[in-house]
Amino acid sequence: MRTRFAPSPTGFMHIGNLRTAIFEYVLAKKYQGDFILRIEDTDQARKVEGAVEFIYKTLELCGFQIDEGPLNPQKYGPYIQSERLDLYKKYALELVEKGKAYYCFCTEEELENMRQKCALRNKPFAYDGRCSKLSAEKIQENLAKGIPYVIRQKMPKTGYTVVNDVIYGEIKIDNSILDDQILLKSDGFPTYNFANVIDDHLMAITHVIRGKEYLDQTAKYNLLYEAFEWEKPTYIHVAMVLGEDGTKLSKRNGDASFMDLYEEGYLPEAIVNYLSLLGWSPANNVEVFSLAELIANFDEKRISKSSSQYDVKKLQWFNHQYIQKMSDEEYLTWVKKYFTHDCEKPAEWVDKLLLIYKKQLEYGAQINDLTREFLEEKYEPNAECLEFMKSDPIIPQVVACFKEEIANIDWTVTNLNQAINNVKEKVGVKGKLLYMPIRIATSGIMHGPELADTIYLIGEDKVKERLNK
Ligand code: GLU
C-alpha cells in the first residue's frame, strides 16, 4: 500500500485538502504502507510563495510521518513536479511513438477560432483534432523550424471507458465526450492530467484518494494507463467538504486553513479528529479518538458519497474535549501562548484564573474574551441580574447568610465551598436559587466558572465590599 498526498502550492492548504491528506495517511498506515508527499507545481502561474512551507508545517503538526517526499527523498524522487520535466517529456514522446498522442502546432489564433465555433454551437471547447492528421514529413518540417508545439492525447471517438472507484462503483464514460487534451504544454511543463498519471505510476502508488471533482477526468487517466500498459491504481474519490456557508472551499478565498485554526488555539489532534469525521464515520460510532485509534478503525469503504459541511461549532466541541484531557500543567503552558492581557496580578493568581476557565474553553485565543470581565474588575450587575435578585423573596436571605458565613473564614476555596454548603443547609435552597444570588452579588454576572474559585480569585476585601453594596 502506497498512498500520496499531492497538493498544488496554489494557496494555503484549507481544511478540505487536509481532510484528503488525513484519509491518505491513515489508509497507508492502517496497512503498514507508505505515505508519500508530492508537490504538484506544474501550474507555475498559480504558485503562491510560502505555500510549500505551509504544507510541510501542517503535516508535521498533525503528526503525519512522511515516508517519502521532497525533504526525505527516496528512490522515486524527485518529489516536486517541476523537477521532473524530462520524465514527462520522455513519456509524452513515447505516447506519440505509440500513436496515442500527437504533436499539435496550432496557433493561439486557430484555437480561438475553434473556441468561437464551439461557443456558437453552445458546446464546451473541444480541440477538433486537425493536427492528428498531419503527415510525418509536415511534423518533421515544423519541428525543424522550431515551431512551438504541445502534445495532445489522442482519444478514441467511439465506445466508452470504464472507471472503477471504491466509493462510487463502476462508471462508464462515453469516449465521444473526451477532448484531445494537452499532455505537455509548449513551455515543456506537463498538465496536471498527464503528470499525475506518470508520477503515480513511477512512484508505485497503489491507492489514489482525491476529490470527487476528478472522477470524470479519470477516464482520460485510465486511457493513459492503458496506452502505456501500466496497472491502474485503486481509486477512492471523496466528496467535497463545503464551507460554513455551504459553498465550495477555496484556498484563494482564504477559507479556513489549518494554520489559521492552529494559531487561534485549536489543537492539531482535535482538528484531525474532527476533519476525519467529515465524510467518514467509524463503525463503532465513537466520536473522540486519537490518530492511532483512527488508523486502527479506518475503513475506506465507509467514506460517504455525499458532501459534508465544515462547522466551526462542532470543531470547538472537539477542541474542548481535547483541552479537558490535558493535565493542568500542560494546559497552563499551552493556554499562556494565547493569553495576551496585560495583567499585574501575581503569576500564581493568573494561573488560578486561567485554570478556572479550563472547563469552559473552546479554543486558545478565547481565553482573552473569557477573562476580560474578570480582569477589568468591573462590578456592574446589569438589569437582568437586578431583576433576578428581586425575583424571589428568599434571595436576600441567601445573600445575607453567605455574608455571615464568610465573615470570619480563612480565605480558601475549600472554606468558600463550605460556606456555600452551609447556606444551602441553613436557608434551605439549592441549584439556581443558591448559586445565582451568590454569583451575582459577588461578581456582578449571571454565569461564570466554578463559583468558589471565582469568589476566591476576586479576593476577600473586594467580595466583602460588594456584598455590602
Ligand atoms: N494537485 C491536485 C490538487 O491539489 C491533487 C489532486 C490529486 O490528488 O490527484 O487538487
Side-chain angles (χ1 to χ4, degrees), residues 4 6-8 17 24 38 40 192 196 200 208-210 213-214 251:
R4 89 296 195 272
S8 306
N17 305 125
E24 281 153 351
R38 180 170 79 224
E40 300 205 325
Y192 163 77
N196 90 86
D200 284 341
V208 168
I209 302 185
R210 68 178 152 225
E213 63 273 24
Y214 291 101
K251 296 187 225 181

Side-chain angles (χ1 to χ4, degrees), residues 332-456:
L332 283 174
T333 315
W334 169 77
V335 81
K336 279 179 193 166
K337 290 189 278 188
Y338 304 96
F339 185 69
T340 53
H341 287 303
D342 243 342
C343 158
E344 276 154 26
K345 301 274 188 190
E348 205 185 317
W349 187 92
V350 174
D351 283 0
K352 288 206 168 91
L353 174 72
L354 297 175
L355 273 172
I356 65 172
Y357 282 101
K358 182 178 170 191
K359 282 206 194 115
Q360 266 170 277
L361 198 66
E362 290 167 320
Y363 59 96
Q366 193 189 27
I367 194 70
N368 295 311
D369 283 340
L370 290 179
T371 54
R372 181 164 296 117
E373 258 176 285
F374 212 116
L375 291 165
E376 283 173 359
E377 304 196 322
K378 274 199 255 160
Y379 181 67
E380 292 161 1
N382 64 13
E384 201 187 344
C385 290
L386 297 177
E387 200 172 306
F388 175 83
M389 294 304 261
K390 284 184 257 164
S391 66
D392 194 300
I394 201 117
I395 290 175
Q397 287 180 50
V398 174
V399 178
C401 181
F402 180 68
K403 199 169 134 183
E404 250 169 59
E405 289 299 321
I406 63 164
N408 295 310
I409 59 166
D410 280 340
W411 200 251
T412 64
V413 174
T414 318
N415 289 343
L416 286 165
N417 264 320
Q418 186 59 50
I420 297 169
N421 255 322
N422 293 346
V423 175
K424 180 174 166 185
E425 300 293 315
K426 290 187 182 163
V427 188
V429 283
K430 56 182 185 182
K432 194 173 171 186
L433 271 183
L434 169 68
Y435 293 106
M436 203 163 286
I438 299 178
R439 187 183 292 281
I440 294 175
T442 55
S443 70
I445 53 174
M446 290 184 104
H447 306 281
E450 278 296 311
L451 186 53
D453 291 312
T454 310
I455 297 172
Y456 172 82

Side-chain angles (χ1 to χ4, degrees), residues 194-377:
F194 186 50
N196 90 86
V197 170
I198 302 300
D199 289 346
D200 284 341
H201 170 73
L202 293 181
M203 294 181 180
I205 300 302
T206 61
H207 291 67
V208 168
I209 302 185
R210 68 178 152 225
K212 191 188 161 204
E213 63 273 24
Y214 291 101
L215 187 54
D216 287 346
Q217 303 287 328
T218 304
K220 298 178 181 176
Y221 312 150
N222 277 357
L223 287 167
L224 288 172
Y225 281 104
E226 284 162 20
F228 285 117
E229 293 174 52
W230 289 342
E231 198 185 328
K232 298 173 192 109
T234 299
Y235 295 116
I236 303 174
H237 284 89
V238 292
M240 228 184 279
V241 177
L242 301 173
E244 293 220 81
D245 57 0
T247 64
K248 195 170 175 247
L249 288 170
S250 129
K251 296 187 225 181
R252 301 222 134 199
N253 292 343
D255 272 316
S257 85
F258 171 85
M259 285 311 263
D260 293 335
L261 293 170
Y262 179 72
E263 274 158 21
E264 271 183 74
Y266 289 87
L267 299 156
E269 303 89 306
I271 301 175
V272 170
N273 186 162
Y274 168 64
L275 292 184
S276 73
L277 291 166
L278 290 180
W280 178 78
S281 60
N284 60 13
N285 279 324
V286 172
E287 277 197 304
V288 179
F289 41 73
S290 66
L291 183 56
E293 286 163 332
L294 171 61
I295 291 169
N297 291 318
F298 191 69
D299 176 356
E300 63 281 15
K301 297 198 182 63
R302 294 182 61 85
I303 293 176
S304 156
K305 279 198 180 85
S306 32
S307 42
S308 47
Q309 193 161 351
Y310 170 65
D311 174 359
V312 74
K313 282 269 156 249
K314 194 84 213 223
L315 172 60
Q316 283 170 358
W317 181 85
F318 276 92
N319 206 47
H320 176 79
Q321 307 302 315
Y322 279 82
I323 294 171
Q324 305 319 302
K325 285 181 187 210
M326 292 189 208
S327 71
D328 286 353
E329 268 146 39
E330 284 166 344
Y331 165 79
L332 283 174
T333 315
W334 169 77
V335 81
K336 279 179 193 166
K337 290 189 278 188
Y338 304 96
F339 185 69
T340 53
H341 287 303
D342 243 342
C343 158
E344 276 154 26
K345 301 274 188 190
E348 205 185 317
W349 187 92
V350 174
D351 283 0
K352 288 206 168 91
L353 174 72
L354 297 175
L355 273 172
I356 65 172
Y357 282 101
K358 182 178 170 191
K359 282 206 194 115
Q360 266 170 277
L361 198 66
E362 290 167 320
Y363 59 96
Q366 193 189 27
I367 194 70
N368 295 311
D369 283 340
L370 290 179
T371 54
R372 181 164 296 117
E373 258 176 285
F374 212 116
L375 291 165
E376 283 173 359
E377 304 196 322

